[in-house]
Amino acid sequence: MQKLQTQLHQKSLIVSDPVSIKYLTGYENDPGERMMVLLVHEDDALFILNAMFPKPESIQAIYYQDSDNPLEILSNNLRYNDVYVDGNLPSRFLIPLMNNHRTFKNGSYLIENLRRIKTLEEREIMKTASKHNDRIMEELVDAIYEGMTEIELANLINQKQSTHPLTGVSFNPISVFTENIANPHAIPSNRTLKDGDVILIDMGGIYNGYHSDMTRTFFFGENKEIEKLYDIVLEANLMAIKAIKIGEPLSTVDKAARDVITKAGYGEYFTHRTGHGIGLETHENLDVSSTNHTPIEVGMCFSIEPGIYIEGVGGVRIEDLIIIEETGPSVINHYPKVKQDIKKRD
């Protein structure tokens, strides 16, 4: 909180994103349609929330009833006319606050710049989350069988990621076969697994509030066409990781992955960025793309996930999470990336 407040000289900041509020204060709550904001100034912070919600322990709060006007309370407590607002404040709350005397600016970057740099404690939690993701991937491989549907595999992932010490999935798992892999965000269907199929599993779980994320692509018998794609994507993944250097722009990492796939003749089939930030949310505001020239810093955590997707054929994606340590990049997923034929595992 103090790092944030040092940036607020004669400014008011309205924080409405529940995840950012949890990050800044430790207070966790889903307000639904009701207004819940953390109003931050350089020397204090104030909660404004409905009286029905749990009471925060460490920060002063003003409580309102459903019959009250919370916007009037917020307006009366805005100390400055220079007001920064996070990107989550609904327009139904923001527009009534606007008048000729106040200037409203997007203040999301103030919080995002803090959240993108993980503390040592956060890094350790994320490493543990990824260890559980590795374990579950190994358990899934042992559970896959011919005739299994994509939905059955997704349900198994949901169950395992919701078992102690995990508290649920980071996102709806993607567990799809062969031609369905051509859609990077495919939704599992009743498609059944058969000999010669390819299996993509993209999943993560939540541990102590922090998210994991990993993608592996497996073979269920021989598929020469997609095996060729696998070799290319694996090289792209490894070259991107090799390109990660403190102080270098994130765009160089994207380029390293993209160059491999383009050189192999499949550039048009790599249809998304190389990676995204991750932490308290699966997708945080840190993207590994050709247009993001932000320098790589110690404490950043992001994915490396190149892929090739060909409609009517299928595709491959291989994803790892990277934490930038003082000594350089550290891959925190350890499930193997070597080409694996599940059908021949015995």
Side-chain angles (χ1 to χ4, degrees), residues 55-208:
K55 307 297 187 284
E57 295 180 358
S58 58
I59 294 181
Q60 179 185 358
I62 296 178
Y63 305 101
Y64 66 87
Q65 304 291 334
D66 280 346
S67 56
D68 296 329
N69 182 356
L71 289 172
E72 183 178 342
I73 297 171
L74 176 56
S75 181
N76 290 339
N77 282 277
L78 288 173
R79 193 180 302 169
Y80 304 107
N81 290 329
D82 200 5
V83 182
Y84 283 71
V85 184
D86 74 4
N88 289 70
L89 186 67
S91 58
R92 69 180 184 275
F93 296 147
L94 176 59
I95 291 173
L97 294 173
M98 293 180 173
N99 59 45
N100 294 331
H101 303 293
R102 291 182 179 135
T103 301
F104 287 84
K105 299 177 182 178
N106 184 356
S108 294
Y109 73 95
L110 295 170
I111 306 164
E112 290 164 356
N113 288 347
L114 293 177
R115 285 180 55 184
R116 71 173 47 169
I117 305 300
K118 272 52 179 181
T119 64
L120 288 172
E121 181 182 4
E122 288 178 294
R123 294 181 225 169
E124 289 306 312
I125 293 172
M126 295 199 67
K127 290 174 187 176
T128 302
S130 282
K131 285 180 182 177
H132 286 293
N133 217 19
D134 290 334
R135 170 182 57 79
I136 290 172
M137 188 69 81
E138 185 172 357
E139 293 172 359
L140 291 173
V141 167
D142 289 337
I144 290 172
Y145 59 89
E146 189 164 0
M148 188 180 208
T149 68
E150 295 174 341
I151 289 176
E152 285 173 332
L153 182 52
N155 289 341
L156 185 56
I157 294 168
N158 275 295
Q159 177 219 319
K160 289 181 177 294
Q161 298 283 13
S162 302
T163 301
H164 182 79
L166 304 174
T167 56
V169 293
S170 300
F171 52 92
N172 290 330
I174 302 172
S175 54
V176 291
F177 308 147
T178 314
E179 73 282 354
N180 291 339
I181 300 172
N183 177 358
H185 284 168
I187 298 172
S189 70
N190 283 314
R191 161 74 153 85
T192 58
L193 183 65
K194 62 183 186 298
D195 184 40
D197 269 334
V198 181
I199 305 163
L200 181 141
I201 299 174
D202 185 350
M203 66 173 186
I206 302 171
Y207 173 77
N208 278 10

Side-chain angles (χ1 to χ4, degrees), residues 177-184 225-226 228-230 232-233 261 264-271 307-317:
F177 308 147
T178 314
E179 73 282 354
N180 291 339
I181 300 172
N183 177 358
E225 185 171 11
I226 299 183
K228 176 185 174 184
L229 301 182
Y230 190 96
I232 297 166
V233 172
I261 293 174
Y266 293 94
E268 66 182 293
Y269 302 108
F270 181 12
T271 54
I308 295 175
Y309 314 92
I310 304 175
E311 189 173 352
V313 175
V316 173
R317 181 166 65 253

Side-chain angles (χ1 to χ4, degrees), residues 277-293:
I278 186 169
L280 286 169
E281 295 175 285
T282 305
H283 284 200
E284 295 193 342
N285 189 266
L286 181 71
D287 82 305
V288 184
S289 71
S290 60
T291 58
N292 188 3
H293 307 301

Side-chain angles (χ1 to χ4, degrees), residues 30-61:
D30 180 4
E33 77 279 8
R34 292 176 172 84
M35 191 187 82
M36 179 181 77
V37 300
L38 177 67
L39 179 58
V40 186
H41 295 109
E42 58 188 311
D43 56 358
D44 65 15
L46 174 71
F47 263 120
I48 301 174
L49 70 168
N50 195 285
M52 68 181 290
F53 296 148
K55 307 297 187 284
E57 295 180 358
S58 58
I59 294 181
Q60 179 185 358

